[in-house]
Amino acid sequence: MRIIKILIFLFSVSVFAQQTPISVSAVKDFREHVERQADEIETMSGDFLQVKYIQMMQAEAVSSGKLYFKSPDILKWEYYKPYNFKILFKDAQLHIDDEGEKSVTDLGSNKLFEKLFSLISGSMNGKLLADTKNFDFTYVRVNNDKMVVLIPRDPSLRQMFAQIVLIFNSKNLVNSVKLVEDSGDFTEIYFKNVQINQPIDPAIFKD
């Protein structure tokens, strides 16, 4: 756990110490490129590492697994470590499989879950940058990457997250997502081995 804490500290220091402003024209070009690229994404899959930091306890909870996305609105997260937990957004429903204990929630009757789905999928493919109605944005450069800080305007999202931080790599794909709470607690998700527009077995999306 100490190693993870050191890595988080070093990552945070490097991000905030080396950031530089991005010009208005560069931001416009970047957003247009991300939006075009997002429109071309039919499928996405990869691995993720998730770190939940709890400030009061000075502790982290680490989990990992695989993610799958199929345009326009199917998304699945599979946690393998430290436990088996699956989340599937499909057909306007949220399916949860907690080590064999299953439940289904209608997104139409739960607007918060619907907004969370848009937040998660939009963070992955970059479409969140087009949601100027629900977020305020700040853009900075971090070495060869770009960091976008989103402040929620939507009251229900604002109650959960004070800000969302997206790191885009040199190819304008999302490398990591950081969800920061008012308390200072945060969840950071790192993506790797991401495959774009590669076939995904339909069985993956069965509930």
Side-chain angles (χ1 to χ4, degrees):
M1 298 299 283
R2 179 174 296 177
I3 293 175
I4 293 173
K5 185 179 295 184
I6 292 172
L7 288 175
I8 291 174
F9 173 77
L10 290 176
F11 176 83
S12 300
V13 169
S14 63
V15 164
F16 292 105
Q18 301 177 33
Q19 58 181 279
T20 57
I22 301 178
S23 69
V24 173
S25 61
V27 167
K28 182 177 181 293
D29 291 343
F30 167 65
R31 289 184 57 171
E32 289 177 351
H33 185 275
V34 169
E35 289 176 21
R36 286 197 306 270
Q37 189 168 256
D39 288 337
E40 295 171 357
I41 295 177
E42 296 296 328
T43 64
M44 178 184 293
S45 62
D47 303 310
F48 69 87
L49 174 69
Q50 178 176 304
V51 180
K52 168 69 176 180
Y53 176 74
I54 304 172
Q55 183 170 315
M56 182 177 294
M57 299 175 62
Q58 293 290 298
E60 303 91 19
V62 182
S63 54
S64 60
K66 296 189 71 70
L67 61 92
Y68 304 91
F69 171 77
K70 183 177 181 181
S71 182
D73 57 4
I74 303 178
L75 174 65
K76 186 172 187 179
W77 288 70
E78 292 190 0
Y79 290 83
Y80 296 141
K81 295 179 181 180
Y83 49 80
N84 293 318
F85 186 78
K86 300 176 183 178
I87 302 172
L88 172 65
F89 292 92
K90 179 183 177 183
D91 299 329
Q93 292 182 321
L94 169 61
H95 301 260
I96 295 177
D97 184 344
D98 186 357
E99 296 188 329
E101 185 175 339
K102 298 183 179 182
S103 64
V104 180
T105 300
D106 184 356
L107 296 181
S109 62
N110 193 315
K111 294 301 181 182
L112 180 57
F113 279 138
E114 188 176 23
K115 291 173 183 177
L116 281 175
F117 167 72
S118 298
L119 172 62
I120 295 170
S121 61
S123 296
M124 288 172 53
N125 60 23
K127 285 190 174 182
L128 202 61
L129 299 190
D131 192 358
T132 54
K133 176 182 177 181
N134 291 310
F135 299 94
D136 292 314
F137 300 85
T138 301
Y139 298 82
V140 294
R141 189 179 302 281
V142 184
N143 296 326
N144 293 325
D145 298 334
K146 297 179 184 70
M147 181 172 73
V148 184
V149 180
L150 296 80
I151 305 298
R153 293 180 179 177
D154 182 276
S156 56
L157 288 177
R158 185 65 182 80
Q159 288 181 352
M160 292 190 299
F161 306 119
Q163 63 180 25
I164 297 110
V165 181
L166 306 181
I167 302 293
F168 289 80
N169 62 22
S170 58
K171 296 181 179 179
N172 292 334
L173 294 173
V174 177
N175 265 357
S176 67
V177 178
K178 186 174 183 179
L179 307 170
V180 184
E181 303 168 27
D182 277 327
S183 64
D185 297 350
F186 64 83
T187 300
E188 196 148 22
I189 305 168
Y190 303 89
F191 303 111
K192 61 180 181 178
N193 304 323
V194 175
Q195 300 289 320
I196 305 293
N197 293 337
Q198 296 299 310
I200 297 178
D201 186 344
I204 292 291
F205 298 114
K206 288 185 178 180
D207 51 18

